[in-house]
């Protein structure tokens, strides 16, 4: 009997319904409820040197008198960035291509900074060892709803006391461990969680205005962009806002350019961003062309809101093709609108950055010849609208980016593609409560988001302007501002009549397709371009002119008595060692424990932990009583190498922070990290400028820059330290002679020091010599710079000799004598100091790679191919105390009295007083009396009964009792006797005009006898 097969047909899936996550129409200047104003002109500029003067002049006006600075036709070369920090200022040119601002120099910052005052970032939560979040601030009110859906504009709170309609508030959505785990963002594979999200990493903080209050129900002016549920941490309302923000800033009708080096097609030693905004609201950028920038045309930071950027073109970017470059139109803010903008050859043409709170909208924007995706390029930038956005040659992306850029994970949620085109559109939803959607899109489509009307044109043409019109009509009967929406021309029928086909063919001959650039040019611009009756900035009062502050002249030197001094006074303080291999770019990292550095670079981000502002670094060190910054180049440039793998990277999608190297990349070839190769003969101008700027800004503070020429960590220990090193042959164009493939020990470790320190190698010798001279040349005439051979140095005697010989040769040629510290193993140190010629090159004996302990001497040998910490693992360092530190310093002060001695060896910095009393320089002590600091530069160390003494029979004595009672032989005479507090350095008078015949018995631990 035949078996009958039964067929069960699956029920057809229901037709997807259009899903719009929220109302995005509150983005833009004044929530797009008002047109950008044509502000009156108040002053005229026709010289580059008067631009900042004019800004300062208008800033000093009463707010109601401020207005536009009209910049005449011509090219304006700027050596310093322009800065606006007051509300109500507009920079207006005579037209794109007519008024051109060109930023010169190597600083990699912005051409124009628009910055209000920053409030202190307040951490609202702390995280315990169980990864649970705990509220820190008592002034935070909890949202009581069990669920507040993304797109909501109302919620209930514990209390509305003190609130009123129009109040500015913040709404916090904490990133708790439960929520992170629900999204599976705790790690991204491999059993490693260091790039995974942690509690407080991706908190969202919305800035909103109270629109209505009904009991404990609060209605706000714009939606939240992420769902909040009580079981995963809920949400909180915080009253207040940053009152230091500025508003009504405009940049319009001009061209901005970065100068560039034509020898390198991928040059990066130039201006990166055109416009950088932070702590700014209700402002705009319109009708501006941008050329040659490496980073962003417009960079809107975290604390920007309701900014409109429109009718702008960014083209011809100059940079490496790699990570953190060409993020052209970028927002980390909220309620920002980019419309009718074109980006050419960008990597991320239209992008939202890390935790951009949203909503943010990109409307009618075109990316041409795109080299990377648009969308969100940072974690959890929610509430994005891409509305009629066309990406030529690359993708639009809403998805889990996983390890991208140090663990980005989910890049967005509750976002929408409306009528967009791209090579591939990736539209995924993180979960059922945070859904993303795509409607009327063209391209390859992938993802589990809500898809409707694929490969079809839909109505309305623009969702943003449809929502705006609907919102304003419902609220007030207004129609809103004009969107100048470019409609689709022609008939899309696949079955035209013969007559229709002929008509369409003739139309295509007569009327070329309207491009976005053509469409922009057709939009009217009505602001006044007349300079009639305006005051010329050149005639402004001197008080309004920007005059560079003169840096006080400070003499930093080693005195004849062998002491490091600044303006004749002993310099005291701690040693600051820079971070050199790790870091994060998440906001909470910069708020909790991030430490300053001077050649660490995070494109488009400025602040401690990112690209530090040098003034801030100098103030940080001075406030904390640091006397030196100990600097060397980074272990590696690309933070991907934190994984300590040795593999070649597939592309140049490098991770920040970047630890810059002293050498320039040349734009040729491909290094192990995917960027172009280094040229060891050319300086990285940004790196060296940062060092010089630091030296300039700390010289008057009496802070020294200890500049280590090399960093031995690259060539010993872990193999990962070598693979991206500029000296490795695959990473440079200089044909260095190191072996390839790399001879890893056990396929993991590296011992390349023997080859690296071979100064007789015909390929390496000229490169080493050239590099040492580069270090000297780049830092010449910097009196507070001290040159040392290398961080973590245990290299051979012959290479250290070669280093000193090269310095001596340069000194003979130039007639200059920079401060040079001999910092190496003790055997090499002693041999070189005994050399009567090389001894003269050395100004400072730096003790850090050997020390005395209670059993004797701990001193690794030079050139044995072991790093300092490898020596420590094999040979116990022993127990040390202040007596051992004193012995080491005193020994060399007595042997070489004309040279300064510094001590940064075992147990530093706790032996500051021992170092001082031995005659050492830069001791980590505090002394509040300026005269004592001056006298100490002329004192010599002595020892008395149970005491250490610094002595000058004409000036006086500093006595430090080490045990019980002591007595000191002094020159007969009258003395003022002071007591010095060992901890805080306070110097207080104990007795005036005390007569001492010959022997003095101090009554306090530390006393200063000042001779009268």
């Amino acid at each position: 009997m035949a078996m009958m097969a039964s067929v069960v047909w699956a029920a057809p899936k229901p037709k997807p319904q259009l899903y719009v996550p929220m109302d995005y129409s509150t983005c833009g200047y004044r929530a797009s409820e008002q047109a950008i104003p044509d502000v009156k002109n108040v002053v005229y500029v026709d010289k580059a040197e008067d631009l900042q003067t004019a800004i300062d002049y208008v800033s000093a006006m009463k707010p109601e008198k401020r207005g536009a600075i009209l910049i005449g036709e011509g090219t304006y070369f700027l050596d310093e960035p322009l800065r606006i920090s007051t509300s109500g200022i507009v920079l207006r040119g005579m037209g794109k291509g007519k008024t051109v601002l060109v930023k010169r120099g190597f600083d990699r910052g912005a051409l124009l900074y628009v910055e209000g005052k920053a409030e202190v970032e307040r951490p609202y939560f702390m995280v315990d060892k169980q990864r649970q979040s705990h509220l820190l601030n008592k002034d935070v009110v909890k949202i009581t709803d069990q669920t507040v859906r993304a797109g909501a504009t109302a919620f209930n709170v514990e209390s509305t006391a003190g609130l009123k309609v129009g109040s500015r508030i913040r709404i916090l959505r904490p990133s708790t461990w439960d929520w992170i785990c629900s999204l599976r963002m705790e790690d991204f594979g491999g059993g490693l969680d260091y790039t995974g999200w942690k509690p407080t990493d991706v908190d969202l903080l919305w800035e909103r205005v109270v629109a209505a209050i009904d009991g404990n129900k609060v209605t706000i002016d714009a939606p939240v962009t992420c769902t909040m549920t009580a079981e995963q941490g809920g949400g909180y309302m915080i009253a207040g806002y940053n009152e230091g923000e500025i508003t009504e800033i405009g940049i319009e009708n001009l061209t901005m350019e970065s100068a560039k080096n034509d020898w390198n097609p991928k040059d990066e030693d130039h201006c990166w961003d055109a416009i950088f905004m932070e702590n700014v609201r209700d402002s705009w950028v319109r009708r501006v062309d941008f050329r040659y920038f490496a980073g962003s045309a417009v960079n809107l930071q975290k604390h920007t809101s309701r900014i409109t950027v429109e009718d702008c073109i960014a083209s011809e970017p100059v940079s490496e093709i790699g990570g953190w470059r060409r993020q052209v139109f970028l927002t980390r803010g909220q309620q920002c609108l980019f419309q009718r903008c074109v980006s050419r050859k960008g990597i991320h043409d239209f992008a939202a950055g890390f935790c951009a709170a949203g909503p943010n909208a990109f409307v009618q924007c075109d990316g041409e010849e795109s080299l990377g995706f648009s969308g969100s390029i940072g974690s959890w930038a929610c509430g994005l609208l891409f509305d009629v956005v066309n990406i030529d040659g690359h993708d639009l992306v809403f998805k889990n980016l996983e390890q991208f850029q140090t663990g980005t994970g989910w890049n967005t949620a509750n976002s929408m593609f409306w009528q967009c085109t791209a090579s591939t559109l990736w539209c995924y939803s993180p979960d059922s409560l945070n859904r993303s959607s795509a409607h009327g899109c063209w391209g390859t489509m992938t993802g589990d988001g809500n898809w409707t009307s694929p490969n079809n044109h839909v109505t309305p043409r623009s969702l943003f302007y449809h929502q705006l019109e609907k919102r304003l009509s419902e609220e007030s009967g207004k129609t809103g501002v004009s969107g100048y929406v470019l409609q689709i021309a022609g008939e899309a029928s696949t079955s035209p009549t013969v007559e229709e086909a002929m008509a369409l063919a003739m139309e295509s001959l007569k009327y070329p397709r309207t491009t976005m650039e053509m469409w922009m040019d057709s939009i009217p611009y009505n602001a006044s371009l007349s300079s009639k009756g305006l005051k010329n900035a050149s005639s402004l009062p001197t008080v309004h002119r920007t005059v560079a502050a003169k840096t006080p002249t400070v003499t930093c030197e080693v005195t004849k008595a062998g002491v490091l001094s600044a303006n004749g006074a002993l310099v005291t303080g701690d040693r600051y060692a820079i971070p050199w291999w790790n870091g994060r770019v998440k906001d909470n990292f910069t708020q909790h424990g991030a430490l300053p550095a001077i050649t660490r670079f995070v494109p488009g981000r400025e602040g401690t932990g990112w690209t530090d502002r040098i003034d801030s670094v100098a103030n940080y060190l001075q406030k904390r009583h640091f006397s030196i910054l100990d600097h060397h180049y980074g272990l590696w440039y690309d933070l991907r190498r934190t994984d300590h793998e040795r593999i070649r990277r597939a592309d140049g999608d490098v991770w920040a922070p970047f630890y810059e190297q002293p050498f320039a990349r040349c734009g040729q070839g491909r290094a192990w990290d995917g960027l172009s190769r280094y040229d060891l003969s050319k300086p990285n101008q940004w790196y060296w400028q940062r060092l010089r700027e630091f030296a300039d800004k700390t010289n008057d503070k009496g802070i020294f820059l200890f500049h280590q020429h090399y960093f031995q960590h690259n060539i010993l220990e872990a193999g990962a330290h070598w693979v991206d090193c500029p000296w490795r042959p695959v990473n440079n164009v200089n044909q260095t002679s190191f072996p390839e493939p790399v001879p890893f020990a056990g396929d993991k470790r590296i011992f390349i020091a023997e080859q690296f320190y071979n100064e007789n190698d015909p390929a390496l010798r000229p490169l080493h010599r050239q590099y040492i001279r580069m270090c000297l040349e780049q830092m010449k005439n910097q009196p507070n710079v001290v040159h040392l051979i290398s961080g973590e140095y245990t290299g051979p005697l012959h290479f250290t000799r070669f280093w000193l010989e090269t310095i001596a040769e340069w000194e003979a040629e130039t007639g200059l004598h920079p401060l040079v510290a001999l910092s190496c193993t003790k055997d090499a140190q002693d041999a070189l100091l005994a050399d009567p010629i090389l001894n003269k090159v050395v100004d400072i004996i730096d003790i850090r790679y050997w020390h005395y302990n209670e059993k004797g001497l701990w001193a690794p040998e030079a050139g044995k191919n072991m790093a300092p910490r490898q020596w420590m693992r094999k040979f116990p360092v022993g127990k040390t105390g202040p007596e051992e530190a004193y012995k080491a310093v005193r020994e060399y002060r007595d042997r070489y009295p004309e040279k300064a001695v510094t001590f940064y060896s075992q147990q530093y910095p706790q032996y500051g007083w021992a170092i001082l009393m031995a005659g050492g320089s830069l001791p980590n002590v505090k002394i509040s009396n300026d005269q004592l600091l001056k006298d100490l530069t002329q004192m010599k160390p002595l020892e008395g009964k149970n005491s250490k003494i610094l002595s000058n029979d004409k000036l006086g004595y500093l006595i430090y009792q080490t045990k019980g009672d002591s007595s000191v032989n002094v020159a007969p005479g009258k003395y003022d006797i002071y007591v010095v507090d060992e901890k805080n350095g306070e110097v207080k008078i104990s007795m005036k005009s005390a007569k001492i015949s010959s022997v003095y018995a101090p009554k306090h631990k530390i006393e200063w006898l000042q001779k009268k």
Side-chain angles (χ1 to χ4, degrees):
M1 178 174 163
M3 299 287 292
M4 297 290 293
S6 62
V7 178
V8 178
W9 296 97
K13 287 185 177 180
K15 186 177 180 180
Q17 298 297 306
L18 173 61
Y19 173 68
V20 179
M22 68 186 65
D23 182 354
Y24 301 94
S25 71
T26 60
C27 298
Y29 173 77
R30 297 281 176 180
S32 290
E33 296 171 7
Q34 300 177 24
I36 293 172
D38 295 326
V39 176
K40 66 179 180 181
N41 296 318
V42 294
V43 68
Y44 179 71
V45 174
D46 58 9
K47 294 185 179 68
E49 59 267 28
D50 293 332
L51 277 167
Q52 189 63 53
T53 299
I55 293 170
D56 297 343
Y57 173 76
V58 178
S59 299
M61 290 178 171
K62 293 180 179 180
E64 66 273 14
K65 298 287 187 181
R66 295 173 194 156
I69 298 166
L70 182 63
I71 310 171
E73 291 191 26
T75 301
Y76 297 76
F77 291 100
L78 305 169
D79 294 317
E80 297 292 333
L82 298 175
R83 296 184 182 273
I84 296 174
S85 57
T86 305
S87 295
I89 295 175
V90 175
L91 293 186
R92 176 178 296 149
M94 301 298 286
K96 297 193 292 185
K98 295 180 179 180
T99 299
V100 183
L101 308 183
V102 181
K103 175 64 175 64
R104 299 186 294 201
F106 309 125
D107 59 26
R108 292 194 191 172
L111 186 156
L112 171 64
Y113 287 91
V114 182
E115 296 180 293
K117 291 182 180 177
E119 66 174 351
V120 176
E121 289 274 359
R122 290 192 297 165
Y124 293 101
F125 287 88
M126 64 169 288
V127 180
D128 63 23
K129 292 181 179 179
Q130 285 71 44
R131 300 184 176 182
Q132 298 302 309
S133 300
H134 303 281
L135 194 63
L136 290 176
N137 303 68
K138 295 179 181 179
D139 58 343
V140 178
V141 177
K142 188 170 181 62
I143 294 173
T144 57
D145 299 86
Q146 287 299 303
T147 301
V148 178
R149 293 296 297 259
T153 55
F155 47 82
N156 292 287
V157 294
E158 290 174 330
S159 171
T160 57
L163 279 189
K164 61 183 180 180
V165 172
S167 293
R168 295 277 298 275
I169 62 169
R170 292 165 173 164
I171 303 161
L172 175 68
R173 197 273 186 232
S175 50
T176 64
W177 184 244
D178 288 342
W179 175 72
I180 290 167
C181 292
S182 75
L183 295 177
R184 302 182 67 183
M185 293 292 99
E186 66 271 28
D187 71 65
F188 299 103
L192 303 172
D193 68 353
Y194 71 94
T195 59
W197 291 4
K198 310 296 187 299
T200 75
D201 270 1
V202 289
D203 293 353
L204 287 189
L205 190 66
W206 296 287
E207 299 272 352
R208 295 293 184 260
V209 178
V210 175
I213 302 172
D214 183 6
N216 282 353
K217 182 178 180 181
V218 177
T219 301
I220 52 178
D221 65 324
V224 297
T225 61
C226 170
T227 297
M228 297 178 279
T229 64
E231 66 180 1
Q232 292 182 346
Y236 299 84
M237 184 183 73
I238 306 133
Y241 69 104
N242 176 20
E243 297 182 15
E245 70 182 16
I246 57 177
T247 63
E248 303 298 330
I249 306 296
I251 302 97
E252 58 189 47
N253 207 42
L254 47 78
T255 294
M256 291 181 161
E257 293 182 357
S258 171
K260 55 186 173 56
N261 294 316
D262 291 333
W263 67 268
N264 183 355
K266 297 179 180 179
D267 174 41
E268 297 192 334
D269 282 334
H270 61 94
C271 186
W272 276 53
D273 291 351
I275 299 171
F276 178 102
M277 285 191 180
E278 178 66 313
N279 300 304
V280 183
R281 184 174 172 88
D282 288 327
S283 298
W284 66 89
V285 178
R286 61 172 171 167
R287 297 176 65 88
V288 180
D289 281 358
F290 305 94
R291 287 200 291 265
Y292 313 135
F293 294 95
S296 299
V298 180
N299 183 343
L300 303 181
Q301 289 289 295
K302 179 180 179 181
H303 300 293
T304 54
S305 59
R306 305 206 309 192
I307 312 294
T308 292
V309 180
E310 66 181 28
D311 301 323
C312 294
I313 299 174
S315 62
E316 303 176 71
V318 178
S319 74
E320 296 278 343
I321 307 303
W324 290 79
R325 276 87 173 158
R326 307 191 192 186
Q327 301 173 356
V328 186
F329 293 101
L330 173 68
T331 177
R332 292 191 64 223
Q334 49 195 294
Q335 293 179 267
C336 296
L337 169 64
F338 295 80
Q339 64 176 347
R340 300 186 306 274
C341 292
V342 175
S343 171
R344 297 186 176 123
K345 294 187 178 179
I347 296 177
H348 304 297
D349 299 287
F350 307 103
F354 177 78
C355 283
N360 290 293
F362 296 86
V363 180
Q364 293 194 107
C365 293
D366 285 356
E368 300 177 3
E369 300 182 69
S370 300
L371 302 176
F373 69 86
S374 288
S376 169
I377 57 173
S379 305
W380 208 244
C382 296
L384 298 178
L385 172 64
F386 280 74
D387 182 7
V388 197
V389 174
N390 305 297
I391 302 299
D392 168 30
H394 225 284
D395 302 343
L396 282 165
V397 176
F398 298 160
K399 71 171 186 177
N400 180 358
L401 295 177
E402 301 188 13
Q403 285 285 22
F404 175 77
Q405 295 296 345
T406 327
T408 296
W410 280 108
N411 70 343
T412 190
N414 308 305
S415 295
M416 182 152 209
F417 296 132
W418 182 279
Q419 208 139 228
C420 295
T421 65
S423 177
T424 300
L425 294 100
W426 306 76
C427 185
Y428 286 85
S429 297
D431 57 25
S432 62
L433 295 177
N434 295 281
R435 298 161 57 201
S436 291
S437 179
H439 184 61
C441 294
W442 301 68
T444 302
M445 302 171 202
T446 184
D448 62 3
N450 199 90
W451 298 88
T452 47
S453 299
N455 295 321
N456 279 304
H457 292 300
V458 294
T459 302
R461 175 68 173 157
S462 166
L463 173 64
F464 180 85
Y465 280 99
H466 175 73
Q467 288 185 327
L468 177 63
E469 184 175 1
K470 183 173 183 291
R471 174 171 63 88
L472 295 185
S473 176
E474 291 174 353
E475 289 178 0
S476 59
K478 296 180 181 179
T479 58
V481 299
S482 174
Y484 294 102
V485 178
L486 175 59
Q487 300 295 333
I488 297 172
E491 170 60 50
S493 173
T494 59
S495 301
T497 66
V498 172
E499 292 76 11
E500 289 171 335
M502 290 298 293
L504 289 170
M506 294 306 295
E507 186 177 323
S508 69
L509 287 173
K510 291 182 180 180
Y511 306 107
R513 178 185 173 187
T514 302
T515 65
M516 186 54 62
E517 184 173 356
M518 294 163 62
W519 183 242
M520 290 180 206
D521 290 341
S522 71
I523 296 171
Y525 178 72
N526 300 316
S528 171
L529 301 180
S530 172
S531 61
K532 186 176 180 180
L534 297 181
K535 186 175 290 187
N536 191 296
S538 296
S539 65
L540 295 178
T542 306
V543 69
H544 295 298
R545 293 187 173 276
T546 303
V547 180
K550 292 184 178 179
T551 303
T553 302
V554 174
T555 303
C556 296
E557 62 181 358
V558 175
T559 67
K560 292 180 179 179
V563 176
L564 262 174
S565 68
N567 266 6
L570 175 72
V571 178
T572 68
D574 203 352
R575 164 183 170 265
Y576 180 77
I578 56 145
W580 42 266
W581 72 281
N582 211 339
R584 303 176 78 202
V585 294
K586 294 178 179 176
D587 295 335
N588 59 353
F589 172 71
T590 67
Q591 297 162 18
H592 303 281
L595 296 173
I598 54 177
T599 58
R600 176 183 55 211
F601 180 46
V602 178
R605 302 266 193 97
E606 298 190 7
T608 303
W610 297 332
T611 307
D612 291 80
R613 294 188 172 179
I614 298 297
D615 286 330
S616 298
V617 178
N619 292 336
Y620 176 96
L621 298 179
Q622 186 178 41
K623 183 178 179 180
R624 291 162 178 78
H625 195 57
F626 286 105
S627 59
I628 74 162
L629 183 144
D630 205 343
H631 181 273
H632 53 72
Y633 52 75
L635 181 58
W636 41 56
Y637 171 85
D638 176 8
L639 208 70
R640 286 180 298 184
R641 198 57 69 188
T642 302
D643 63 11
H644 279 75
E645 299 290 349
R646 294 159 301 289
I647 46 89
R648 186 200 298 266
R649 300 301 180 184
D651 54 39
D653 201 16
V654 288
W655 294 359
F658 302 132
Y659 288 94
E660 290 287 332
Q661 305 294 303
F663 314 105
R665 295 189 191 257
C666 67
Q668 302 174 27
R670 184 168 174 235
W672 208 248
D673 61 11
L675 300 181
S676 71
R677 295 187 178 191
Y678 293 95
D679 186 337
L680 301 179
S681 69
K682 285 187 168 65
N684 175 340
Q685 297 287 4
W686 182 84
Y687 176 95
W688 293 106
Q689 176 180 288
R690 296 278 291 184
L691 291 181
R692 288 193 298 271
E693 185 181 355
F694 175 83
D696 285 338
K697 291 186 175 179
T698 56
N699 185 47
D700 65 311
K701 301 179 188 299
I703 296 174
F704 286 85
L705 171 61
F706 273 36
H707 178 233
Q708 308 276 2
H709 288 194
Y710 295 89
F711 187 33
Q712 184 177 271
H713 208 89
N714 291 102
I715 60 177
L716 290 172
E717 301 185 83
H721 302 165
W722 173 249
V723 293
D724 288 337
C725 178
W727 289 86
R728 185 185 170 196
V730 299
N731 294 326
N732 64 64
V733 294
N734 307 95
Q735 299 181 335
T736 52
S737 55
F738 301 103
E740 291 288 346
V742 178
F744 296 120
D747 198 33
K748 187 173 183 179
R749 301 295 176 192
I750 186 72
F751 292 89
I752 208 81
E754 198 71 23
Q755 298 97 314
F756 189 88
Y757 293 132
N758 182 5
E759 76 277 8
N760 292 318
D761 182 286
L764 291 180
R765 184 180 181 87
L767 291 171
H768 278 307
R769 181 175 174 274
Q770 187 175 48
Y771 171 59
I772 295 165
R773 293 171 68 92
M774 180 193 297
C775 294
L776 299 168
E777 190 67 30
Q778 291 291 329
M779 303 305 294
K780 67 182 180 182
N781 300 320
Q782 301 283 354
N784 58 332
V785 172
V786 178
H787 295 267
L788 300 90
I789 188 168
S790 172
E792 301 187 5
Y793 185 64
T794 54
L797 170 63
H798 59 80
F799 188 80
T800 316
R801 183 184 298 278
F802 164 74
W803 179 72
L804 288 175
E805 289 171 345
T806 304
I807 295 174
E809 176 188 78
W810 183 84
E811 288 181 339
E813 290 178 16
T814 63
L816 300 174
H817 184 78
L819 291 175
V820 176
L822 182 59
S823 182
C824 54
T825 58
K826 191 176 190 304
D827 54 351
Q829 216 164 37
D830 288 340
L832 293 166
L833 289 170
D835 185 309
I837 297 176
L838 295 182
N839 177 289
K840 296 177 182 178
V841 180
V842 177
D843 304 283
I844 302 162
I845 302 168
D846 183 77
I847 300 171
R848 68 174 70 192
Y849 301 118
W850 61 271
H851 62 270
Y852 288 108
N853 57 36
E854 291 183 347
K855 293 184 178 180
L857 175 67
W858 187 88
E861 297 177 69
K864 296 300 183 181
N865 296 300
M866 285 176 59
R869 64 178 178 176
Q870 290 174 323
W871 280 99
M872 290 179 182
R873 289 169 186 156
K874 296 299 181 183
F875 301 94
V877 296
K879 188 176 180 180
T880 66
E883 286 294 336
E884 286 72 31
Y886 180 91
K887 178 181 179 181
V889 174
R890 178 70 190 276
E891 189 175 276
Y892 280 83
R893 285 292 287 120
D894 289 348
R895 194 182 305 173
Y896 305 101
E898 77 286 0
K899 300 188 187 302
V901 179
T902 55
F903 182 94
Y904 299 110
S905 192
Q906 193 70 8
Q907 299 302 315
Y908 174 87
Q910 61 183 286
Y911 299 149
W913 280 98
I915 295 166
L916 172 64
M917 300 311 297
S921 289
L922 304 178
N924 182 34
V925 301
K926 293 181 179 179
I927 295 176
S928 64
N929 188 286
D930 292 339
Q931 187 59 51
L932 174 56
L933 289 171
K934 289 181 178 180
D935 288 357
L936 285 171
T937 64
Q938 301 179 61
M939 293 183 177
K940 294 183 178 181
L942 298 173
E943 289 197 57
K945 178 185 176 184
N946 296 332
S947 63
K948 310 295 184 186
I949 307 162
L950 287 170
S951 164
N952 183 309
D953 290 348
K954 295 181 180 179
L955 297 176
Y957 307 87
L958 182 68
I959 304 167
Y960 185 105
Q961 293 193 88
T962 55
K963 299 176 185 177
D965 296 331
S966 65
S967 58
V968 179
N969 294 321
V970 301
K974 289 184 178 180
Y975 294 84
D976 287 340
I977 300 174
Y978 296 84
V979 177
V980 182
D981 188 289
E982 185 174 18
K983 292 183 178 179
N984 62 29
E986 288 187 359
V987 179
K988 295 181 179 179
I989 188 71
S990 174
M991 187 180 301
K992 285 194 171 186
S993 299
K995 188 175 182 180
I996 304 175
S997 57
S998 60
V999 177
Y1000 175 71
K1003 299 178 177 62
H1004 305 90
K1005 186 169 185 179
I1006 307 174
E1007 291 188 13
W1008 170 34
L1009 279 57
Q1010 184 184 28
K1011 195 165 187 181
K1012 296 182 69 70

